[in-house]
Amino acid sequence: MALGKDYVSQQCSMARALEVIGERWTLLVVRDALYGVRRYNDFLVHLGIPRAVLAGRLQTLVAAGVLEKRPCADTPSRHEYVVTERGRQLWWTLCALGAWGRDNFTEGKPLRIFRHGACGTELGVVGDCPACGILVPVEDVEMLPGPGLDPEPADPVSRALARPRRLLQPIETDPV
C-alpha cells in the first residue's frame, strides 16, 4: 500500500505543521536560514541538496510565510531568503530537536553551543536561559563552535558558520 502524500484527513495541528516542515531537507533549510544563510547557492553548497529539491523547499517555505524572498541588496537580480516572524517561531522546536540529537548521537561532543547573548549563559534544552529564566528569542542567541565541529570544514558556508556569531545575521563567506 502506497503512503499518502499529505495529512489533509488529519484533524491535528501537528499534521498541519508537517504539511509545511515535514519533508526531508525542510528543517535543515530552516535551520540554515536561522543560522544566517540567505542565498540559494549558499544553501546548495552547505546542504548538498539537489537543486530541484532546494527550489521546491524554498518555494514551499515562502508560500507558507516561514521565509520571505527578497532581492539581494548588493545584486538586485539575485534573491535572498530571510526568516519571517513565523519562521523565527520554529527556533525553539529546532533547539529542542538539536538538543535531542546532541544528547543521543554526538558522543558527548556537541557540534555547536548556543548562548544567551545578553548574559552569556548556555541555553537549556528548549532554548531557555537558566540564568534569566526566559525563552531566548532567536535574535538574542549566540552560536559558537562546539568540540565536535570540524575545525577545518571544506566549504565556505561551513567555515562562516564555524565562527562565533549571532543567529539571523547574514553569513559572510570567505572569497573563493
Side-chain angles (χ1 to χ4, degrees):
M1 183 164 98
L3 292 175
K5 298 279 186 194
D6 57 37
Y7 304 100
V8 292
S9 65
Q10 296 287 315
Q11 294 194 8
C12 168
S13 57
M14 187 181 301
R16 293 211 169 93
L18 287 172
E19 285 289 325
V20 175
I21 62 167
E23 291 184 313
R24 184 173 181 204
W25 294 108
T26 303
L27 285 178
L28 296 179
V29 171
V30 173
R31 175 208 63 192
D32 275 12
L34 289 167
Y35 286 2
V37 177
R38 290 185 171 190
R39 296 175 184 236
Y40 179 89
N41 283 338
D42 289 340
F43 285 109
L44 199 63
V45 166
H46 189 241
L47 294 172
I49 184 173
R51 287 180 181 275
V53 173
L54 177 58
R57 297 305 184 267
L58 289 170
Q59 185 177 26
T60 297
L61 291 167
V62 168
V66 174
L67 299 177
E68 180 184 342
K69 184 177 178 179
R70 298 181 186 165
C72 291
D74 59 343
T75 315
S77 62
R78 293 183 177 232
H79 291 91
E80 62 182 8
Y81 296 87
V82 180
V83 181
T84 64
E85 180 56 35
R86 182 175 281 179
R88 288 174 184 208
Q89 292 173 10
L90 286 167
W91 163 245
W92 296 292
T93 300
L94 291 175
C95 193
L97 185 59
W100 180 77
R102 179 196 65 226
D103 291 348
N104 290 283
F105 304 107
T106 63
E107 292 83 42
K109 293 184 178 180
L111 301 174
R112 301 187 191 286
I113 297 167
F114 298 96
R115 295 190 314 204
H116 185 193
C119 72
T121 301
E122 189 170 334
L123 298 185
V125 173
V126 295
D128 58 309
C129 176
C132 298
I134 63 168
L135 279 176
V136 179
V138 66
E139 59 272 9
D140 293 340
V141 175
E142 293 179 341
M143 179 174 70
L144 297 94
L149 195 66
D150 180 356
E152 297 182 28
D155 71 89
V157 176
S158 293
R159 284 193 299 275
L161 293 175
R163 295 188 284 265
R165 57 189 334 283
R166 282 256 181 171
L167 297 188
L168 296 176
Q169 296 302 309
I171 62 164
E172 294 182 22
T173 56
D174 300 330
V176 180

